[in-house]
Amino acid sequence: MDRVRLGGGRTATTVRITTTEGTTRILRQPGAATSPDSRHTASPADRLAVEGEFYRLVQPWWPAVADRMPTCIGVDRSDHVIALEDLGPSGPLTGLYHGASLSEADADELAAYLVALHGVPGSEDELGALRSDGVRLARHADRFEEPIAATRVEALATRLPRLVRLVDALRTDVHIRATMRDLGGRFLEGTGTLLHGDFRPARWMPAPSGVRVLAPGLATAGPAALDVGFFLAHLVLAGQPHELLSGVLHRYRRGAMLDIAEVSACAGLEIIRGRLGAEPVPGDPAPHRLEAELEYATRLLRGGATVETPL
């Protein structure tokens, strides 16, 4: 049996195994995440446990979700290992942050995935099986409590001197702080619709049968706006055309209700975290682009614009 390591992040290591018969499988096992502050790092084993529960919930009963993900072949709960279908040699769509374009067909498929996912009528007990306090609290700290990292601001301020003033205005804006508290509180409740929880290009992968969604290790229950806002924020961060964002909104609204103000606030917060957080998205935007994105995110959080408005 051959083993090839495909990637190893802080939270999971991914390995392709090839059997003597030539069959390939993907194994996901815990990485070595460490942090001086345990609030900010979910246990890798906890994340893989959530991922396993997610597949258990959707794979047998919800093909509109399961068919847009790799098939889960098995879960070893004692060693926290998940065996998945091998989707082929392609990697995730992180090239979007470096000038690649997301096709309209793939964007439509991703929007359809969220519509299907948010329509899964899981019982409180079923969705509760996804509830990991460690994962949820770490995600809350990263997304809602401290989306801005001082070291990141200092590094970027050398190229954009106005950044410090922009960040100070964000941190002291009463309306923005209230919006963040409200969104964070609803996230912590862990009730609502089924969410992927980490819907971004690193979780999208091309496959022969179409784009597929990976790694639901941050899945939880909550407002659908969190997933949709996250999706749209990363299209903005990846410099995708506004027409593509409009198409995503149109496709989602054909299948589900949407609170555009809430989606916009979620998108604004993720744009800020994606540029100024401790783990920013790939890429090095020009100063004028960075400033435009942060000003746009501020308007979204304050309610002065919606994601229907171009950057």
Coordinates of all heavy atoms in Angstrom, one line a residue, residues 34-83:
T34 N -1.7 24.0 17.5 CA -1.3 24.5 18.9 C -1.6 26.0 19.0 O -1.5 26.7 18.0 CB 0.1 24.2 19.2 OG1 0.9 24.9 18.2 CG2 0.4 22.7 19.2
S35 N -1.9 26.4 20.1 CA -2.1 27.9 20.3 C -1.9 28.2 21.8 O -2.3 27.4 22.7 CB -3.6 28.2 19.9 OG -3.9 29.6 20.3
P36 N -1.3 29.3 22.1 CA -1.2 29.7 23.5 C -2.5 30.1 24.1 O -2.6 30.1 25.3 CB -0.2 31.0 23.4 CG -0.5 31.5 22.0 CD -0.7 30.3 21.2
D37 N -3.5 30.3 23.3 CA -4.8 30.6 23.8 C -5.8 29.6 23.3 O -6.1 29.6 22.1 CB -5.2 32.0 23.4 CG -6.6 32.5 24.0 OD1 -7.3 31.6 24.5 OD2 -6.9 33.7 24.0
S38 N -6.2 28.7 24.1 CA -7.0 27.6 23.6 C -8.4 28.0 23.1 O -9.1 27.3 22.4 CB -7.3 26.5 24.7 OG -7.9 27.1 25.8
R39 N -8.8 29.2 23.4 CA -10.1 29.7 22.8 C -10.1 29.8 21.3 O -11.1 29.7 20.6 CB -10.4 31.1 23.4 CG -10.7 31.2 24.8 CD -11.1 32.6 25.2 NE -10.1 33.5 24.7 CZ -10.3 34.8 24.4 NH1 -11.5 35.3 24.5 NH2 -9.4 35.6 23.9
H40 N -8.8 30.0 20.8 CA -8.7 30.4 19.4 C -8.4 29.2 18.5 O -8.3 29.3 17.3 CB -7.6 31.5 19.2 CG -8.0 32.8 19.8 ND1 -8.8 33.7 19.2 CD2 -7.7 33.2 21.1 CE1 -8.9 34.7 20.0 NE2 -8.3 34.5 21.2
T41 N -8.2 28.0 19.0 CA -7.9 26.8 18.2 C -8.8 25.7 18.7 O -8.6 25.2 19.8 CB -6.4 26.5 18.4 OG1 -5.6 27.6 18.1 CG2 -6.0 25.3 17.5
A42 N -9.6 25.2 17.8 CA -10.4 24.0 18.1 C -9.5 22.8 18.0 O -8.6 22.8 17.1 CB -11.6 23.9 17.1
S43 N -9.8 21.9 18.8 CA -9.0 20.6 18.8 C -9.2 20.0 17.4 O -10.3 19.8 16.9 CB -9.5 19.7 19.8 OG -9.3 18.3 19.5
P44 N -8.1 19.6 16.7 CA -8.2 18.9 15.4 C -9.1 17.6 15.5 O -9.9 17.3 14.6 CB -6.8 18.5 15.1 CG -5.9 19.5 15.8 CD -6.7 19.8 17.1
A45 N -9.0 16.9 16.6 CA -9.9 15.7 16.8 C -11.3 16.1 16.9 O -12.2 15.4 16.3 CB -9.5 15.0 18.1
D46 N -11.6 17.3 17.5 CA -13.0 17.7 17.6 C -13.5 18.1 16.2 O -14.7 17.8 15.9 CB -13.1 18.9 18.5 CG -13.1 18.6 20.0 OD1 -13.2 17.4 20.3 OD2 -12.9 19.5 20.8
R47 N -12.7 18.8 15.4 CA -13.1 19.1 14.1 C -13.4 17.9 13.2 O -14.4 17.9 12.5 CB -12.1 20.0 13.4 CG -12.0 21.4 14.0 CD -11.0 22.3 13.4 NE -11.2 22.5 11.9 CZ -10.9 23.6 11.3 NH1 -10.4 24.6 11.9 NH2 -11.1 23.7 10.0
L48 N -12.6 16.9 13.3 CA -12.8 15.7 12.5 C -14.0 14.9 13.0 O -14.7 14.3 12.2 CB -11.6 14.8 12.5 CG -10.5 15.3 11.6 CD1 -9.2 14.5 11.7 CD2 -10.9 15.3 10.1
A49 N -14.3 15.0 14.3 CA -15.5 14.4 14.9 C -16.7 15.1 14.3 O -17.7 14.4 13.9 CB -15.5 14.4 16.4
V50 N -16.7 16.4 14.2 CA -17.8 17.1 13.7 C -18.0 16.7 12.2 O -19.1 16.5 11.7 CB -17.6 18.6 13.8 CG1 -18.7 19.4 13.0 CG2 -17.7 19.1 15.3
E51 N -16.9 16.7 11.5 CA -16.9 16.3 10.1 C -17.5 14.9 9.9 O -18.4 14.7 9.0 CB -15.5 16.3 9.5 CG -15.5 16.1 8.0 CD -14.1 16.4 7.4 OE1 -13.3 17.2 8.0 OE2 -13.8 15.9 6.3
G52 N -17.2 14.0 10.7 CA -17.7 12.6 10.6 C -19.2 12.6 10.9 O -20.0 12.0 10.2
E53 N -19.7 13.4 11.9 CA -21.1 13.5 12.2 C -21.9 14.2 11.0 O -23.0 13.8 10.7 CB -21.3 14.3 13.5 CG -21.0 13.5 14.7 CD -21.8 12.3 14.9 OE1 -23.0 12.3 14.6 OE2 -21.3 11.3 15.4
F54 N -21.3 15.1 10.4 CA -21.9 15.8 9.3 C -22.2 14.8 8.2 O -23.3 14.7 7.6 CB -21.0 16.9 8.8 CG -21.5 17.7 7.6 CD1 -22.2 18.9 7.8 CD2 -21.4 17.3 6.3 CE1 -22.7 19.7 6.8 CE2 -21.9 18.0 5.2 CZ -22.6 19.2 5.5
Y55 N -21.2 14.0 7.8 CA -21.4 13.0 6.7 C -22.4 12.0 7.1 O -23.3 11.6 6.3 CB -20.1 12.3 6.4 CG -19.1 13.2 5.6 CD1 -17.8 13.5 6.1 CD2 -19.4 13.6 4.3 CE1 -17.0 14.3 5.3 CE2 -18.6 14.3 3.5 CZ -17.3 14.7 4.1 OH -16.4 15.4 3.3
R56 N -22.4 11.6 8.4 CA -23.4 10.6 8.9 C -24.8 11.2 8.7 O -25.8 10.5 8.4 CB -23.1 10.3 10.3 CG -24.1 9.2 10.9 CD -23.9 9.1 12.4 NE -24.3 10.3 13.1 CZ -25.6 10.7 13.3 NH1 -26.6 9.9 12.9 NH2 -25.9 11.9 13.9
L57 N -25.0 12.5 9.0 CA -26.3 13.1 8.9 C -26.8 13.3 7.5 O -28.0 13.0 7.2 CB -26.2 14.5 9.6 CG -27.5 15.3 9.6 CD1 -28.7 14.7 10.3 CD2 -27.2 16.7 10.2
V58 N -25.9 13.7 6.6 CA -26.4 14.1 5.3 C -26.3 13.0 4.2 O -27.1 12.9 3.3 CB -25.8 15.4 4.7 CG1 -25.9 16.5 5.7 CG2 -24.3 15.2 4.4
Q59 N -25.3 12.1 4.3 CA -25.0 11.2 3.2 C -26.1 10.2 2.9 O -26.5 10.0 1.7 CB -23.7 10.5 3.5 CG -23.2 9.7 2.3 CD -21.7 9.3 2.4 OE1 -20.8 10.1 2.2 NE2 -21.5 8.1 2.8
P60 N -26.8 9.6 3.9 CA -27.8 8.6 3.5 C -29.1 9.2 3.0 O -29.8 8.5 2.3 CB -28.0 7.9 4.8 CG -26.9 8.3 5.8 CD -26.5 9.6 5.3
W61 N -29.4 10.5 3.4 CA -30.8 11.0 3.2 C -30.8 12.2 2.3 O -31.9 12.5 1.8 CB -31.4 11.3 4.6 CG -31.2 10.3 5.6 CD1 -30.4 10.3 6.7 CD2 -31.8 9.0 5.6 NE1 -30.5 9.1 7.4 CE2 -31.3 8.3 6.7 CE3 -32.7 8.3 4.7 CZ2 -31.7 7.0 7.1 CZ3 -33.1 7.0 5.0 CH2 -32.6 6.4 6.2
W62 N -29.8 12.9 2.1 CA -29.9 14.2 1.4 C -28.9 14.3 0.2 O -27.8 14.9 0.3 CB -29.6 15.4 2.4 CG -30.5 15.3 3.6 CD1 -30.2 14.9 4.8 CD2 -31.9 15.5 3.6 NE1 -31.3 14.9 5.6 CE2 -32.4 15.3 4.9 CE3 -32.8 16.0 2.6 CZ2 -33.7 15.4 5.2 CZ3 -34.1 16.1 2.9 CH2 -34.6 15.9 4.2
P63 N -29.3 13.6 -0.9 CA -28.4 13.5 -2.0 C -28.0 14.9 -2.7 O -26.9 15.0 -3.2 CB -29.1 12.6 -3.0 CG -30.6 12.7 -2.6 CD -30.5 12.9 -1.1
A64 N -28.9 15.9 -2.6 CA -28.6 17.2 -3.1 C -27.4 17.8 -2.4 O -26.7 18.7 -3.0 CB -29.8 18.1 -3.0
V65 N -27.1 17.4 -1.2 CA -25.9 17.8 -0.4 C -24.8 16.8 -0.7 O -23.7 17.2 -1.1 CB -26.2 18.0 1.1 CG1 -25.0 18.4 1.8 CG2 -27.3 19.0 1.3
A66 N -25.1 15.5 -0.4 CA -24.0 14.5 -0.4 C -23.4 14.4 -1.8 O -22.2 14.1 -1.9 CB -24.6 13.2 0.0
D67 N -24.2 14.5 -2.9 CA -23.7 14.3 -4.2 C -22.7 15.5 -4.6 O -22.0 15.4 -5.6 CB -24.8 14.3 -5.3 CG -25.6 13.0 -5.1 OD1 -25.1 12.1 -4.4 OD2 -26.6 12.8 -5.8
R68 N -22.7 16.6 -3.9 CA -21.8 17.7 -4.2 C -20.6 17.7 -3.2 O -19.9 18.7 -3.1 CB -22.6 19.0 -4.1 CG -23.6 19.2 -5.2 CD -24.3 20.6 -5.0 NE -25.1 20.8 -6.2 CZ -26.5 20.7 -6.3 NH1 -27.1 20.3 -5.2 NH2 -27.1 21.0 -7.3
M69 N -20.4 16.5 -2.6 CA -19.3 16.3 -1.7 C -18.6 15.0 -2.0 O -19.2 14.1 -2.6 CB -19.7 16.4 -0.2 CG -20.5 17.6 0.2 SD -20.9 17.7 1.9 CE -19.3 18.1 2.7
P70 N -17.4 14.8 -1.5 CA -16.8 13.4 -1.7 C -17.6 12.4 -0.8 O -18.1 12.8 0.3 CB -15.4 13.6 -1.2 CG -15.4 14.8 -0.3 CD -16.4 15.7 -0.9
T71 N -17.7 11.2 -1.3 CA -18.4 10.2 -0.5 C -17.6 9.8 0.7 O -16.3 9.6 0.6 CB -18.6 9.0 -1.4 OG1 -19.4 9.3 -2.5 CG2 -19.3 7.9 -0.6
C72 N -18.2 9.8 1.8 CA -17.5 9.3 3.1 C -17.6 7.8 3.1 O -18.7 7.2 3.2 CB -18.1 9.9 4.3 SG -17.4 9.4 5.8
I73 N -16.4 7.1 3.1 CA -16.4 5.7 3.1 C -16.4 5.1 4.5 O -17.0 4.0 4.7 CB -15.1 5.2 2.3 CG1 -15.2 5.7 0.9 CG2 -15.0 3.7 2.3 CD1 -13.9 5.6 0.2
G74 N -15.9 5.8 5.4 CA -15.9 5.3 6.8 C -15.3 6.3 7.8 O -14.5 7.2 7.4
V75 N -15.6 6.1 9.0 CA -15.1 7.0 10.1 C -14.6 6.1 11.2 O -15.4 5.3 11.7 CB -16.2 8.0 10.6 CG1 -15.7 8.8 11.8 CG2 -16.7 8.9 9.5
D76 N -13.4 6.3 11.6 CA -12.8 5.7 12.8 C -12.8 6.7 14.0 O -12.0 7.5 14.0 CB -11.4 5.2 12.5 CG -10.8 4.4 13.7 OD1 -11.2 4.6 14.8 OD2 -9.9 3.6 13.5
R77 N -13.9 6.5 14.8 CA -14.0 7.5 15.9 C -13.0 7.5 17.0 O -12.7 8.4 17.6 CB -15.4 7.4 16.5 CG -16.5 7.9 15.5 CD -17.9 7.7 16.1 NE -18.9 8.3 15.2 CZ -19.4 7.7 14.1 NH1 -19.0 6.5 13.8 NH2 -20.3 8.3 13.4
S78 N -12.4 6.3 17.2 CA -11.4 6.2 18.2 C -10.1 6.9 17.8 O -9.5 7.5 18.7 CB -11.2 4.7 18.5 OG -10.7 4.0 17.4
D79 N -9.7 6.7 16.6 CA -8.5 7.4 16.1 C -8.7 8.7 15.3 O -7.8 9.3 14.9 CB -7.7 6.4 15.2 CG -7.1 5.3 16.0 OD1 -6.8 5.5 17.2 OD2 -6.9 4.2 15.4
H80 N -10.0 9.1 15.2 CA -10.4 10.3 14.6 C -9.8 10.4 13.1 O -9.2 11.3 12.7 CB -9.8 11.5 15.4 CG -10.2 11.5 16.8 ND1 -11.5 11.7 17.2 CD2 -9.4 11.3 17.9 CE1 -11.5 11.6 18.6 NE2 -10.3 11.3 19.0
V81 N -10.1 9.3 12.4 CA -9.7 9.2 11.0 C -11.0 9.1 10.1 O -11.9 8.3 10.4 CB -8.8 8.1 10.7 CG1 -8.4 7.9 9.2 CG2 -7.5 8.2 11.6
I82 N -11.0 9.8 9.0 CA -12.1 9.8 8.0 C -11.6 9.3 6.7 O -10.5 9.8 6.2 CB -12.8 11.1 7.9 CG1 -13.4 11.6 9.2 CG2 -13.9 11.1 6.8 CD1 -14.0 13.0 9.2
A83 N -12.2 8.3 6.1 CA -11.8 7.8 4.8 C -12.8 8.4 3.8 O -14.1 8.2 3.9 CB -11.8 6.3 4.7

